[in-house]
Amino acid sequence: VRYLFLWFINMGLNKNKIFGYTALVIAIIGSSLILIGLFKYPEYAIGFSIAGIGFFAIAWAFNALRGRI
């Protein structure tokens, strides 16, 4: 784990890459929430789907902010 962290430091992350990676991680979390709601808890799928769409909206906003901040 330590070497992975050092790799990220040496990678030369600027603000745009950080926003891009954050948007990707948040979109993956949103997708997993939607899929968990559909397959594991179908009776609560609406709630999981709404939360997943919220995560997608936040990821979209982060992606839109790339290059502007």
Side-chain angles (χ1 to χ4, degrees), residues 9-47:
I9 289 175
N10 289 333
M11 214 170 107
L13 289 176
N14 56 12
K15 289 184 288 187
N16 291 332
K17 287 184 184 179
I18 290 172
F19 272 116
Y21 286 135
T22 306
L24 178 68
V25 168
I26 292 175
I28 290 171
I29 291 172
S31 300
S32 64
L33 275 173
I34 292 172
L35 291 174
I36 285 172
L38 288 177
F39 293 122
K40 188 161 175 75
Y41 303 111
E43 62 272 6
Y44 301 114
I46 292 291

